[in-house]
Every structure is written in C-alpha cells, then in structure tokens.
Amino acid sequence: MRIAAVVALALVLALGGVAAVLASRIDGVAMPQLNAEDEPQRANTGDAVYLFVGADSGIERAPTDVQSSTPEGQARADALVLVRLGDDGTASAVSLPRDLLSTNGYFGSIALALLDGPEVLMQSVCSTTGVAVDRYVSIDGAGFVDAIDALGGIEVDIEYPLRDAAAELTVDTAGTQQVDGVTALGLVRSRHAEQFVDGAWVAVSEDAGARQRALWSARVLDGVRSALSDADAASLASAVWSSSASLSLGGGLHPFELGRLARAELDIRELPAEKIGDGRALKMTEQSTSTLLEAGFRTDCALE
C-alpha cells in the first residue's frame, strides 16, 4: 500500500540531495534495542531489514466502519511489509497480515501495536516473527496517494476486475495496467472485494480478502520500485515534496543502500498464518517461520 510509496520517497530523499530541506517535514522515529548482544554479528552479514508501514491516519472512513475514528496523534497499521536487502543485491519482501496476534506482552494484533508508537510496533514484530528491524519507514494514506500520482501511477497485474465500495476500489478490466494513487490505496485496503469471474460478480471470502490485502501491499511496493526506475527528476521531486509531511523514518537514511533496493528485483511472499477460532485473529506457525527463513530473514530476534 502506501508502503510502496515509502520506498520511493526515501530513495528520492537520499539520491536527490534534498534531505536537509525536507527534514523539518519528516518525523524521526527512535529505534528500539533488539538483539543487543548479537548486533555486531548482524552488522557483519551485510543485510538490512526494513519495516514498511502504511498508517491509517489521513484516510476517511465510513461512520459504520468499526475503525472509523483514530485517537488524535495515533494511527493503526493498515499494511506491513518486511523487506530484506542482501549485500549480494538480492531483495525479498514478506507481507505481514495485520490481524497477526502480537506476543510482546499485550493482547492485540500487530496493526494495533502502532497505536502505542512505532517502537512498540517494531518490538511486536520482533517478538511475534523473530525478525529484527534495522530501518523503519511509514506513510499515511494521503501521502501515499500523492506520491503514486506524482510518479504517474504504478503498473500492477490484476487477475480479475474488482470492486469494493468500502475501500473506494473499482477496477473495470483485468490484466497488467497503470493505476493511480486512489486505486493503489484501495487495493491494499480492500477486505470485502468482489471479483468479476465468468460473467458474474463473486464475493471474496473474509479470509481470502485478508490474504489478498496483505499480498497487495508487497505487489504495490514492487510497482513503485519499478516506477522509480522510469521516473524523471521532476516527478521524483514532486513525489517527495507532496508526501514528505506524511513520512516517518527510523534507523537513518542510507543513500547507497536505498539505491540498491530500488534496483533490486523483489522476491515477494505472503506470510502464512493460522486462524484462531472464528474471529480474524491469526497466529504464527512453523510454516510462517519457514517462509521468513526461505526469504533470507533471521528469526532469532529477542526483546531486551
């Protein structure tokens, strides 16, 4: 989701030389202490692990939406994507379901952990998945839309025509196509979509909708990465300026690292998880951990 725009904006800041001018518009995020004893070993691996977050602030919701209001100054995580950049140029992305149950001392999903701040969210990711985060990047809904539009849209492959009124999503045709910021945001927010299959609109189940939502986060991220490689200087400058006030960064800005990430081809995966009872809550399984390991992530993170 807006996660995709985050990579774009951070890269523009780093390579465009405008970080100092925009610094006052970007929120700094303190990084938690994770795996303190093992940190020197982690640094020697050459890998960098990013957590890209799409926050729900800046999104207008219907009064009937159970999340229609967000406490002032706080936000939930509408989308979360872990990205690993290897020193060999490889890169992998794993979408985390927002309903994944946190295991860092309180009951709730990792999406709700952001209500207590980015540091608590990163701690939740550590304790729940075992992955330590080196860099944190988040953007809200308005900034996400502006960034996508400034880049001229992104290219995505859509299997079936889609519609979801709650997410303000309408896609009339299937196939590879250019979508604007509103459509990209709708793709990653959609939970109750309908697909046009064999001449009829078919509702996507609650569980399938949640999985699609998580996977679209990584796909849109890859779409922005691709758009960056084709964007001209004016489009890049417009993207970063229009959305910089919606951006939060933690772990520093690393120009060469971000340049490598923009050029890398993402290996995209969805984190499998097991449903708990009849609700939306999900929990990690051995398959979840295996997926992270196959994507090159370490899963030995522990809180201080």
Side-chain angles (χ1 to χ4, degrees), residues 7 31-32 34-35 39 42-43 45-53 81-87 90-94 96 122 125-126 129-137 221 250-252 254 257-258 260-261 292 295-301:
V7 173
M31 302 295 290
L34 305 174
N35 270 4
E39 199 61 34
R42 285 183 53 78
T45 67
D47 289 356
V49 176
Y50 283 79
L51 177 62
F52 292 101
V53 178
V81 179
L82 285 169
V83 175
R84 180 197 61 83
L85 176 64
D87 58 358
T90 62
S92 53
V94 177
L96 304 182
M122 286 182 274
V125 170
C126 167
T129 69
V131 176
V133 175
D134 303 312
R135 325 274 189 244
Y136 176 89
V137 193
L221 167 63
H254 304 269
E257 186 176 278
L258 288 165
R260 287 167 48 219
L261 181 57
L292 289 166
F297 291 93
R298 292 180 56 167
T299 58
D300 57 355
C301 181

Side-chain angles (χ1 to χ4, degrees), residues 6-288:
V6 169
V7 173
L9 301 183
L11 180 64
V12 174
L13 281 172
L15 302 184
V18 294
V21 178
L22 297 172
S24 62
R25 293 169 58 89
I26 299 173
D27 290 333
V29 172
M31 302 295 290
Q33 289 296 317
L34 305 174
N35 270 4
E37 295 181 359
D38 195 32
E39 199 61 34
Q41 181 181 348
R42 285 183 53 78
N44 290 336
T45 67
D47 289 356
V49 176
Y50 283 79
L51 177 62
F52 292 101
V53 178
D56 68 359
S57 52
I59 298 176
E60 293 185 10
R61 299 181 183 273
T64 55
D65 193 327
V66 294
Q67 296 180 350
S68 60
S69 62
T70 300
E72 185 177 353
Q74 296 176 310
R76 301 171 179 86
D78 252 0
L80 302 111
V81 179
L82 285 169
V83 175
R84 180 197 61 83
L85 176 64
D87 58 358
D88 58 356
T90 62
S92 53
V94 177
S95 294
L96 304 182
R98 57 166 292 153
D99 297 317
L100 189 64
L101 194 63
S102 175
T103 59
N104 71 322
Y106 72 93
F107 183 82
S109 69
I110 54 175
L112 296 180
L114 185 58
L115 288 171
D116 292 325
E119 185 174 357
V120 174
L121 174 59
M122 286 182 274
Q123 290 173 339
S124 293
V125 170
C126 167
S127 62
T128 304
T129 69
V131 176
V133 175
D134 303 312
R135 325 274 189 244
Y136 176 89
V137 193
S138 74
I139 195 169
D140 69 19
F144 171 77
V145 170
D146 289 343
I148 296 288
D149 288 343
L151 289 170
I154 61 171
E155 188 176 271
V156 293
D157 186 23
I158 300 176
E159 187 176 6
Y160 300 104
L162 293 167
R163 67 183 186 187
D164 185 341
E168 300 182 0
L169 174 65
T170 302
V171 179
D172 296 324
T173 59
T176 301
Q177 55 197 283
Q178 199 84 355
V179 300
D180 61 12
V182 170
T183 303
L185 181 61
L187 286 171
V188 296
R189 290 188 58 222
S190 176
R191 189 186 285 271
H192 304 287
E194 293 180 306
Q195 297 177 329
F196 195 71
V197 183
D198 296 330
W201 287 102
V202 179
V204 177
S205 70
E206 179 82 15
D207 292 345
R211 290 193 300 271
Q212 285 184 355
R213 177 177 178 152
L215 193 55
W216 271 117
S217 298
R219 288 178 176 174
V220 170
L221 167 63
D222 197 41
V224 170
R225 182 201 58 78
S226 179
L228 274 173
S229 63
D230 298 327
D232 56 32
S235 297
L236 292 175
S238 176
V240 68
W241 177 259
S242 61
S243 53
S244 58
S246 303
L247 188 65
S248 297
L249 298 176
L253 199 56
H254 304 269
F256 294 107
E257 186 176 278
L258 288 165
R260 287 167 48 219
L261 181 57
R263 295 189 298 271
E265 195 167 317
L266 279 180
D267 174 18
I268 299 173
R269 303 165 191 248
E270 174 193 0
L271 185 77
E274 182 179 317
K275 194 170 183 179
I276 302 174
D278 297 327
R280 294 179 177 177
L282 302 169
K283 66 178 181 179
M284 290 279 292
T285 64
E286 290 184 3
Q287 187 181 3
S288 307

